[in-house]
Amino acid sequence: MTTPDLGKKLTTRAEALKASRQVHEPVWRDAYDYTFPIRADGFDGQVITASDAAARIARLYDGTAPDALTILASSIMSGLTPANSRWFGLDVEGADHAGKQWLDNAAEVVWSNIHASNFDAAGFECCLDLTVAGWFVLFVDVDRENGGYVFEQFPLTTCYCAASKPGGAIDTLFRWYKLTAEQAVAEFGTDKVSQGIREAAEKEPDRTFDFLHAIYPRAEGRPDAVLARNMLFASVHIECRDTRVVEESGYQEQPFVAPRWHVIPRSVYGTGPFMNALPDTRELNELKRKEQLNIDMAIAGTFIAEDDGVLNTRNIKIGPKKVIVANSVDSIKPLTAAGDLRVSFTKAEQLQASIRKALMADQLQPQEGPQMTAYEVSVRVQMIRQLLGPAFGRFQSEYLRIVVFRCLGLAIRAGIIPPAPQSVGGRMARVTYRSPLARAQQFEEVSAIDQGIQFAGRVAQATGNTSVFDIIDLDQAVTTAAEGLGVPMNLIRGADQVAAYREQKAQADQAAAQQAQQQQLSLAAGEAAIQRTANA
């Protein structure tokens, strides 16, 4: 396929994806209108400026939904990818202890570099989109100027997605973006861009041009490819004016993630938890609008006036230091409001509670009061697991796993991770999750181990038969529990290390016993010599 043919084909496909997504855009736009209006720019063909966003925010009479969504997004971020503790590990089936330590060190390097980048800021913005629209797009690459990773959240309105496998995760992305003429020449080179951009770069360097970036899996891609055009994922940049391909390269891993909260049937896109709270949010906003009108009436008052020939009801103004000319004092009088604000307040509280419940804000926000007991902590962890657990499985496969493998590949090619030992090298690794949510899912296994050992201890104490512990492999039980609790691998001894340590400890104990016995014999001999001298 020639380069011009490739540009036309990809542009045609992008337009088809754009048309197929339009049926879902009004739903996402409405969701953003009641939460974060500025993030709806481009949905349903609407352009939202900063002034438009300010006007839309001014039409929001209640902040319950945005506040609850912020709490939910923060909980997802801290539950999946906390910055203060490593939330993932790497594992290879059949790896020896040295291999496990190498995997643990590699995971530590990747994790530290992820959180040394802009991941925490970009990740939180992504979680906001996830809670409102139900999906987000996050691009992962290296910072070619300063080193390390760089994460870029693509606006949802510019992204059009597809899946190469039926019912599979999103692995194809078409994204429209703009560059100035000066930026286009610097990015792609003078010989790659069109004559129009070259001329604009000299005369109008700030003039913008449209580009299309297509990322999709290559059917003929190879995991060991060196040339970018042979890698597993293609990357094609197209100048939209004449469908000119200005850059064709590739990635050795999927360079972006696009997870979904709930998948829309017969679509690759998703909806978020806010869909369940949108009806109540609409009703609450309208209720608050009417409530504000009634409050204004209650404060400023409403009057009834009679047009008596002297009092002109069309231009009368009520206010302090006003003189009202009337034929009689009964020509104007206050009108008692017919509404009852107490009903509005009660209904508003019910709707606010319903919204916060739908968005899990009451269950997820930090508890006030004294420090919780260990039992209260375990109950709270279980509650969070039950609330977010169903969505956690999708996040693992569509978000975390892709990010980890992408960052691991970048780190290995950059040479910041040493070569793998023989038991690991060339074998497929899998990601193990150690985040608070993941540990909450493993809590039952760790708790079962703890309860089993305690039960065996009670039986041994009641019967005096300590052989009941022979049923439980205590070494393996402690190892499994430690791994489930997220103890770093460099703190867990392997079977060979444990055997060597125990042998060394036994030898030391034996030497100490022999030394003590020798000292006791020497002391006894000395005492005997003293006794013989005394008797003589």
Side-chain angles (χ1 to χ4, degrees):
M1 179 183 297
T2 61
T3 298
D5 291 337
L6 178 61
K8 291 179 181 179
K9 180 178 180 180
L10 293 177
T11 301
T12 301
R13 185 182 182 189
E15 292 291 348
L17 291 176
K18 183 177 181 179
S20 65
R21 201 193 75 172
Q22 289 179 348
V23 296
H24 307 302
E25 293 184 5
V27 176
W28 298 326
R29 184 202 61 204
D30 288 347
Y32 280 113
D33 281 346
Y34 286 96
T35 53
F36 310 105
I38 192 63
R39 304 178 81 89
D41 179 34
F43 277 138
D44 207 21
Q46 295 187 5
V47 177
I48 301 178
T49 63
S51 299
D52 296 332
R56 293 183 183 220
I57 292 175
R59 292 197 294 268
L60 297 179
Y61 292 90
D62 186 87
T64 301
D67 178 65
L69 287 169
T70 301
I71 293 174
L72 178 57
S74 300
S75 299
I76 294 173
M77 186 73 183
S78 60
L80 290 178
T81 57
N84 59 344
S85 63
R86 180 146 61 86
W87 43 269
F88 70 92
L90 297 170
D91 187 27
V92 170
E93 186 177 356
D96 57 16
H97 190 69
K100 289 184 177 181
Q101 284 191 325
W102 181 89
L103 290 167
D104 194 67
N105 293 334
E108 181 71 24
V109 170
V110 171
W111 172 79
S112 61
N113 278 275
I114 285 176
H115 289 283
S117 68
N118 65 325
F119 173 79
D120 294 311
F124 177 72
E125 296 293 325
C126 288
C127 288
L128 284 178
D129 280 343
L130 182 69
T131 58
V132 180
W135 62 293
F136 65 82
V137 179
L138 180 66
F139 183 75
V140 187
D141 205 355
V142 293
D143 188 340
R144 291 173 174 78
E145 294 183 359
N146 303 314
Y149 302 131
V150 61
F151 296 84
E152 181 181 359
Q153 181 195 15
F154 291 155
L156 295 184
T157 55
T158 66
C159 297
Y160 301 89
C161 305
S164 61
K165 298 179 181 178
I170 293 173
D171 58 7
T172 300
L173 173 66
F174 288 81
R175 178 179 68 95
W176 272 278
Y177 65 101
K178 294 181 180 292
L179 290 178
T180 65
E182 183 180 40
Q183 292 170 341
V185 170
E187 180 73 18
F188 305 116
T190 305
D191 58 330
K192 295 292 185 179
V193 298
S194 65
Q195 180 65 25
I197 292 182
R198 290 195 294 267
E199 293 176 355
E202 296 178 358
K203 301 176 182 179
E204 302 173 277
D206 295 322
R207 180 182 169 188
T208 59
F209 293 84
D210 292 325
F211 290 85
L212 174 66
H213 186 196
I215 302 174
Y216 55 93
R218 282 194 177 101
E220 68 281 3
R222 302 193 309 271
D224 57 345
V226 177
L227 297 178
R229 293 189 178 186
N230 297 327
M231 293 179 180
L232 292 176
F233 282 82
S235 172
V236 182
H237 291 264
I238 302 168
E239 186 181 336
C240 295
R241 292 181 63 184
D242 55 2
T243 64
R244 173 196 298 265
V245 174
V246 293
E247 182 181 270
E248 182 179 1
S249 59
Y251 304 100
Q252 290 174 304
E253 307 90 12
Q254 182 173 324
F256 71 93
V257 292
R260 291 79 53 89
W261 184 283
H262 294 302
V263 178
I264 300 174
R266 299 184 299 277
S267 172
V268 297
Y269 300 104
T271 58
F274 182 64
M275 290 297 104
N276 297 328
L278 183 56
D280 286 342
T281 303
R282 282 200 186 99
E283 184 178 356
L284 177 62
N285 198 66
E286 180 63 18
L287 180 67
K288 284 290 186 178
R289 185 186 69 83
K290 294 178 180 178
E291 182 181 292
Q292 187 63 48
L293 293 176
N294 279 274
I295 290 175
D296 291 342
M297 293 170 60
I299 294 175
T302 304
F303 296 84
I304 184 172
E306 177 185 359
D307 190 350
D308 57 3
V310 177
L311 180 66
N312 188 342
T313 58
R314 292 173 177 79
N315 58 14
I316 185 174
K317 294 182 179 180
I318 304 295
K321 298 182 180 181
K322 298 286 186 181
V323 177
I324 300 173
V325 180
N327 197 22
S328 169
V329 294
D330 295 327
S331 296
I332 182 171
K333 60 182 66 176
L335 182 65
T336 304
D340 189 348
L341 285 175
R342 291 175 298 179
V343 176
S344 175
F345 294 155
T346 302
K347 182 61 176 178
E349 290 177 356
Q350 293 175 352
L351 291 172
Q352 289 170 342
S354 178
I355 293 170
R356 295 180 67 84
K357 181 179 179 181
L359 299 178
M360 298 173 276
D362 291 334
Q363 298 94 326
L364 295 174
Q365 68 180 359
Q367 300 294 319
E368 299 179 356
Q371 185 176 2
M372 292 186 293
T373 65
Y375 175 75
E376 291 172 334
V377 170
S378 66
V379 171
R380 180 167 170 78
V381 166
Q382 290 297 316
M383 180 178 63
I384 293 176
R385 181 180 68 84
Q386 293 172 2
L387 291 171
L388 297 181
F392 182 51
R394 189 186 300 277
F395 299 154
Q396 284 181 334
S397 61
E398 297 185 0
Y399 177 25
L400 303 181
R401 183 181 62 83
I402 298 175
V403 168
V404 170
F405 279 133
R406 171 64 172 162
C407 292
L408 178 63
L410 293 173
I412 290 175
R413 290 190 292 276
I416 63 175
I417 295 179
Q422 186 175 0
S423 65
V424 174
R427 305 181 66 180
M428 189 64 179
R430 66 181 182 92
V431 181
T432 58
Y433 301 98
R434 303 179 179 179
S435 65
L437 274 177
R439 287 201 296 270
Q441 290 186 326
Q442 297 173 343
F443 180 79
E444 293 181 1
E445 183 180 31
V446 175
S447 178
I449 293 173
D450 180 56
Q451 293 177 10
I453 294 175
Q454 290 185 20
F455 178 76
R458 290 195 297 269
V459 172
Q461 184 178 7
T463 63
N465 180 16
T466 59
S467 63
V468 294
F469 282 104
D470 297 340
I471 301 173
I472 302 175
D473 187 343
L474 294 178
D475 287 354
Q476 186 59 44
V478 174
T479 300
T480 302
E483 292 177 352
L485 293 171
V487 177
M489 284 302 301
N490 59 355
L491 299 181
I492 302 176
R493 293 189 177 98
D496 295 340
Q497 291 177 319
V498 171
Y501 173 77
R502 287 173 175 171
E503 183 179 358
Q504 181 181 3
K505 184 179 178 182
Q507 291 176 355
D509 291 342
Q510 183 179 3
Q514 291 176 352
Q515 184 178 2
Q517 184 179 9
Q518 185 64 34
Q519 290 177 351
Q520 187 175 4
L521 292 174
S522 299
L523 180 61
E527 291 178 351
I530 293 174
Q531 187 64 36
R532 287 195 299 271
T533 303
N535 293 335

